[in-house]
Amino acid sequence: TTPQGKAFEWILDTDPLRLAPADGSFVQRFVLAVLYFSTGGGSWNRCNAPINVNSLSDCGLFFRIGSAWLTNSPECDWSGISCGDGVTRIDLRGNGLSGTIPSELQHLADLEVLRLFSNRLTGTIPAELGTLSSLVFLELDRNQLMGTIPAELRALSSLERLSLFANLLNGTIPAELGALSSLQRLLLQDN
């Protein structure tokens, strides 16, 4: 079954919070579950879902203590996740993620920081990330991402740092990235 199917099954059948689709947290909880299943969540270095989903055991990830993923804790308490009105930060750097970056991240409209560097991510950079208008830091370096840099990233008007170095990217740098007026750091070497 697909990561989306696993996340759907989890949120409907296993999630101890039993949220209704109309609940404001339903979509972001589902999207984070898709991220978990898309990136080999059961094999992460830290903060995997415990066998007992009602376990509130803490785990540490980058000097922030949070709960393990897919537990009865609110998703904003899962390690590597920070929230304001919605999810604002995903920081899972160096956590042994493998698999692909799901396009469903586009539904996290408040996302400002996406740090997935130093993992084993493959596939392409989803063009749908270009819809994340609040994104300030996009750091996907030191993975095994392939393909071209999506021209759709030109819509990230708040983006200050785009770090894609040390991947397997090819092609030319999209001229559209020249429209990123807030961009301060562009790191593309070693591709």
Side-chain angles (χ1 to χ4, degrees):
T1 182
T2 66
Q4 294 79 3
K6 289 177 183 177
F8 190 67
E9 182 179 309
W10 173 78
I11 203 162
L12 291 180
D13 298 337
T14 310
D15 184 1
L17 293 190
R18 302 274 188 229
L19 298 176
D23 187 289
S25 294
F26 184 88
V27 170
Q28 71 183 19
R29 198 165 172 88
F30 171 74
V31 169
L32 291 174
V34 171
L35 175 64
Y36 181 84
F37 290 115
S38 292
T39 60
S43 300
W44 289 357
N45 295 338
R46 297 171 297 281
C47 305
N48 286 304
I51 293 172
N52 175 4
V53 296
N54 291 312
S55 169
L56 289 178
S57 61
D58 289 338
C59 63
L61 193 60
F62 310 110
F63 309 107
R64 182 181 182 274
I65 299 296
S67 70
W69 281 54
L70 307 187
T71 62
N72 62 356
S73 295
E75 65 279 4
C76 292
D77 291 340
W78 294 348
S79 195
I81 302 299
S82 299
C83 296
D85 290 335
V87 174
T88 57
R89 176 184 298 255
I90 299 174
D91 189 344
L92 296 172
R93 61 183 128 157
N95 199 24
L97 280 66
S98 61
T100 60
I101 301 168
S103 61
E104 286 80 4
L105 291 176
Q106 70 180 310
H107 299 293
L108 300 177
D110 297 320
L111 193 63
E112 298 172 0
V113 176
L114 181 57
R115 284 193 172 119
L116 301 178
F117 64 84
S118 296
N119 284 294
R120 295 183 307 273
L121 295 171
T122 57
T124 59
I125 299 169
E128 293 85 355
L129 295 181
T131 65
L132 296 170
S133 60
S134 297
L135 203 60
V136 176
F137 294 102
L138 178 56
E139 297 174 338
L140 306 176
D141 49 274
R142 291 171 278 176
N143 280 291
Q144 298 159 20
L145 298 171
M146 299 171 20
T148 59
I149 299 169
E152 290 82 356
L153 298 184
R154 72 180 173 276
L156 300 176
S157 58
S158 300
L159 195 67
E160 294 178 8
R161 182 180 180 105
L162 178 58
S163 185
L164 304 175
F165 71 90
N167 276 292
L168 303 171
L169 300 172
N170 58 34
T172 59
I173 300 169
E176 293 87 348
L177 295 186
L180 296 173
S181 59
S182 298
L183 193 63
Q184 298 172 11
R185 302 274 322 242
L186 177 63
L187 302 167
L188 302 176
Q189 69 272 20
D190 297 326
N191 274 292

